[in-house]
Amino acid sequence: MKPIKFLSLCAGPMLLAIVAGAAINHKTEPVKSADQTINGKGFALLELFTSEGCSSCPSADELLAKIQKESQGKPVYVLAYHVDYWNQLGWKDIFSNADYSKRQKEYSYTLNAQVYTPQVVINGKSEAVGSDERALRNAIAEGLAGSPSANITLQAQQNGDKLTVNYQVTSGSATDKLLLAVVQKSAVSKVKAGENDGRTLTHAQIVRGLYPVKLTPEKKGVSTIKLPQGFNTQGWEVVGFVQSKTNGEILSATKAQFSATSTAAL
């Protein structure tokens, strides 16, 4: 197992800013042209680890929101995980979840990377500073030019406070994991303490729940999950992705297609 490189949380803000600045200054390859033809049937899943308590994070939140808007109709999926380890420094992020901090830590092992914010993991295979637009756009272009190692289809129906998801996965390994992310598309927060004290922050693609699905031997079936309060099919979405249990690579990703909604609870 690779050793974890974890930045001290006690001195977190200063160290995180230093790491972010150093990473942005690293030499990168030229960004892919916006009108460049991308050959391939690939996808790009961007997992942003962020926090309302981090002064370096709003610029990353804005960039990922911009990418999400520009990528409508393309297989580009943005997930923003609000980690909880900044909560001890003066402001509790209402969207934070210890499970997301754990997920970031797991990536630190598979990618042999540091734990910091804002950090983006692309297709489970590489990571970059969340505000580094050049690095992210290059990674997206690379992902779109590739081919998925598996295929996934999702059909969902809301039944009161529950969501029923029909899934089917083809190809891949028998040990692969299917995860469903329930995503709130946008939110606004007024921060009253910490590094962003006094700022009004706009968030996009906030993960409000991440649910593993136990795949059947046939890799198809039905899963039911409890929805967060306020869920609706206009302001929220469900992103499903298949992840290798061996190396953390994302093999396929898609959005759930919603069928007619029923108001009756299960």
Side-chain angles (χ1 to χ4, degrees):
M1 180 177 290
K2 296 180 180 179
I4 181 174
K5 296 180 179 178
F6 189 78
L7 297 179
S8 170
L9 296 181
C10 295
M14 181 178 296
L15 285 175
L16 296 178
I18 292 172
V19 171
I24 292 174
N25 289 328
H26 283 173
K27 184 177 180 180
T28 56
E29 296 179 359
V31 67
K32 302 293 189 297
S33 172
D35 59 357
Q36 180 179 357
T37 300
I38 301 297
N39 297 316
K41 299 181 179 180
F43 67 96
L45 179 72
L46 282 65
E47 298 180 79
L48 169 67
F49 295 93
T50 184
S51 172
E52 291 184 342
C54 164
S55 62
S56 300
C57 288
S59 59
D61 294 338
E62 292 170 4
L63 173 58
L64 270 293
K66 176 183 176 182
I67 290 174
Q68 171 74 12
K69 184 177 181 180
E70 292 177 352
S71 301
Q72 294 297 318
K74 299 178 181 178
V76 177
Y77 312 101
V78 175
L79 302 177
Y81 301 100
H82 288 237
V83 297
D84 71 337
Y85 50 79
W86 279 89
N87 290 352
Q88 60 182 306
L89 300 178
W91 176 253
K92 184 175 181 180
D93 188 335
I94 62 171
F95 301 114
S96 64
N97 190 315
D99 289 342
Y100 307 154
S101 300
K102 180 181 178 182
R103 181 167 180 80
Q104 186 183 25
K105 188 175 181 180
E106 290 171 349
Y107 271 133
S108 75
Y109 287 112
T110 57
L111 299 176
N112 193 24
Q114 294 171 317
V115 171
Y116 63 93
T117 55
Q119 181 181 37
V120 173
V121 175
I122 307 97
N123 283 358
K125 299 192 293 185
S126 63
E127 60 90 22
V129 175
S131 54
D132 189 343
E133 183 170 0
R134 184 182 299 274
L136 295 189
R137 292 195 181 279
N138 283 338
I140 291 170
E142 181 179 348
L144 293 177
S147 298
S149 302
N151 292 294
I152 174 176
T153 56
L154 299 173
Q155 187 73 34
Q157 182 179 42
Q158 182 180 359
N159 298 282
D161 65 347
K162 293 182 176 61
L163 190 73
T164 302
V165 182
N166 288 271
Y167 66 86
Q168 182 170 6
V169 178
T170 56
S171 301
S173 168
T175 60
D176 294 337
K177 301 183 295 182
L178 171 61
L179 295 106
L180 301 176
V182 177
V183 180
Q184 184 177 347
K185 293 182 181 180
S186 63
V188 176
S189 294
K190 294 183 178 180
V191 179
K192 299 180 180 179
E195 290 193 357
N196 289 313
D197 186 14
R199 298 183 66 176
T200 298
L201 303 180
T202 301
H203 304 303
Q205 297 299 108
I206 313 155
V207 178
R208 300 297 303 275
L210 185 63
Y211 305 93
V213 176
K214 187 176 179 60
L215 291 174
T216 64
E218 299 81 12
K219 292 187 178 181
K220 63 179 181 179
V222 180
S223 180
T224 301
I225 58 178
K226 185 174 176 61
L227 292 168
Q229 186 175 3
F231 179 92
N232 62 76
T233 56
Q234 289 73 46
W236 299 59
E237 63 185 21
V238 176
V239 176
F241 55 98
V242 179
Q243 186 166 30
S244 169
K245 191 175 181 179
T246 304
N247 58 16
E249 179 181 346
I250 307 300
L251 308 177
S252 181
T254 191
K255 290 181 183 178
Q257 299 298 313
F258 283 88
S259 58
T261 302
S262 170
T263 57
L266 292 182

